[in-house]
Amino acid sequence: MGICDNRTIIVTGSGSGLGREYALLLAGEGANVIVNDIRPEAAASVVKEIEAAGGKALANSDDITSMDGAQRIVDGAVARFGDVQGVVNNAGIVRDRMFASLSEQDWDDVIRVHLKGHFCLASILVRRWRDQVKNGQKVDARIVNTSSGAGLQGSVGQSNYAAAKGGIASLTLVQAAELGRYGITANALAPAARTGMTEKVFADVMKKPDGEAFDHFHPGNVAPLVVWLCSPLSAGVTGKVFEVEGGKLSIGDGWRTGKVRDKKARWQPAELTEVVESLIAEAPKPQKVYGT
């Protein structure tokens, strides 16, 4: 028996890296897994691994950045397994440039894959789950999004990626606030792991250790939280952004209103220097932007 028995979960970008680890462990915990990846051979390879271990999975290479593609993914899952109980929005790309050198295409590609890719599948599924509730069916559904430390505190050379990941964190908060009435939870991850997107930039920091030492940046270290979030055990948890690295787990503490100065009247521009300086002095020191 596993904690995700008989639950069908879609995992995007699951042909390698983090997504592959999520798919394998979800299947190991009893889930039917839709292995979505734009590389058909990669998706098929993961499905083969799952089936060899006795699990159930379906390979899919439809486009997550279009509503038509998202609908085909959901339709395929329903046709094979009867229903869908969750989605792990994991697929992503990077187009790293300093902001002054960033092209319009660099911006559009990253925003499309991350932000629109998170929207399309969730939109199709939420409408399906809402209709089920309206028809008297009990829903216990999960949206697991992927933010990043870059989205939570910024990252030099990744303004497009950081903007997309910050947007995903905010999207998660709104989804959680709006969708709880339908039995849907929404949470996000900010994982730190060795993947195709990080191995070049952080090759030395994230390299596999020698011998039997704990592999701190192995992507499999993130998978247990994803499986738990997709399971019935997490029904009471929503609207959180989890930071995961190695054996470390924390919940991000987002933007909050800081100290307030209230003049009870309109400020004059020249008097704001002293006010702003005092507010900055009293505020908690922010985490540094990555790369500074």
Side-chain angles (χ1 to χ4, degrees):
M1 296 288 289
I3 67 170
C4 287
D5 279 350
N6 302 314
R7 291 173 72 77
T8 297
I9 309 295
I10 299 167
V11 185
T12 69
S14 49
S16 61
L18 285 165
R20 173 181 173 273
E21 297 295 333
Y22 302 162
L24 293 174
L25 192 56
L26 279 163
E29 288 289 341
N32 308 313
V33 183
I34 310 305
V35 180
N36 168 266
D37 199 287
I38 59 172
R39 302 161 299 169
E41 68 285 353
S45 177
V46 175
V47 169
K48 187 175 180 180
E49 284 187 78
I50 289 172
E51 292 178 339
K56 297 179 181 180
L58 175 67
N60 177 279
S61 295
D62 283 306
D63 182 7
I64 64 167
T65 69
S66 76
M67 295 298 280
D68 287 345
Q71 187 68 65
R72 286 193 295 272
I73 296 169
V74 174
D75 288 347
V78 172
R80 177 70 175 272
F81 298 116
D83 203 356
V84 180
Q85 284 77 35
V87 59
V88 181
N89 286 311
N90 166 75
I93 62 170
V94 289
R95 298 287 185 270
D96 293 351
R97 303 280 190 280
M98 298 300 283
F99 185 78
S101 301
L102 196 70
S103 72
E104 181 179 12
Q105 194 64 54
D106 293 332
W107 179 270
D108 287 347
D109 287 346
V110 170
I111 296 299
R112 185 186 73 256
V113 172
H114 288 277
L115 268 177
K116 191 176 181 186
H118 271 61
F119 165 75
C120 292
L121 263 173
S123 176
I124 297 292
L125 287 168
V126 164
R127 292 168 189 268
R128 176 182 175 83
W129 293 329
R130 182 187 61 183
D131 289 345
Q132 289 175 340
V133 170
K134 289 182 177 180
N135 289 327
Q137 185 174 337
K138 180 177 172 57
V139 168
D140 185 28
R142 304 286 181 270
I143 298 171
V144 180
N145 294 326
T146 305
S147 183
S148 167
L152 303 181
Q153 63 194 71
S155 180
V156 170
Q158 292 191 306
S159 56
N160 49 359
Y161 180 76
K165 291 303 191 182
I168 288 166
S170 295
L171 170 66
T172 302
L173 299 181
V174 178
Q175 287 174 328
E178 293 183 356
L179 303 177
R181 72 188 76 177
Y182 303 119
I184 305 166
T185 69
N187 293 284
L189 313 167
R194 188 172 57 250
T195 71
M197 291 199 300
T198 62
E199 61 186 357
K200 293 182 180 179
V201 179
F202 302 109
D204 291 336
V205 173
M206 292 188 171
K207 67 182 179 181
K208 185 176 180 179
D210 296 328
E212 300 299 318
F214 175 54
D215 189 353
H216 185 85
F217 289 104
H218 192 288
N221 298 333
V222 183
L225 175 64
V226 172
V227 174
W228 182 82
L229 286 172
C230 288
S231 79
L233 298 177
S234 65
V237 177
T238 194
K240 307 301 181 187
V241 179
F242 292 88
E243 295 189 79
V244 194
E245 178 190 319
K248 298 191 292 185
L249 176 65
S250 64
I251 297 176
D253 187 8
W255 289 100
R256 296 176 179 273
T257 302
K259 298 287 186 179
V260 177
R261 295 287 188 276
D262 186 359
K263 183 181 177 180
K264 308 286 187 188
R266 182 180 300 170
W267 293 99
Q268 295 300 314
E271 64 184 335
L272 285 172
T273 300
E274 181 180 351
V275 175
V276 172
E277 287 178 350
S278 69
L279 287 172
I280 291 172
E282 293 180 31
K285 297 298 181 186
Q287 291 180 246
K288 289 186 177 181
V289 171
Y290 285 114
T292 62

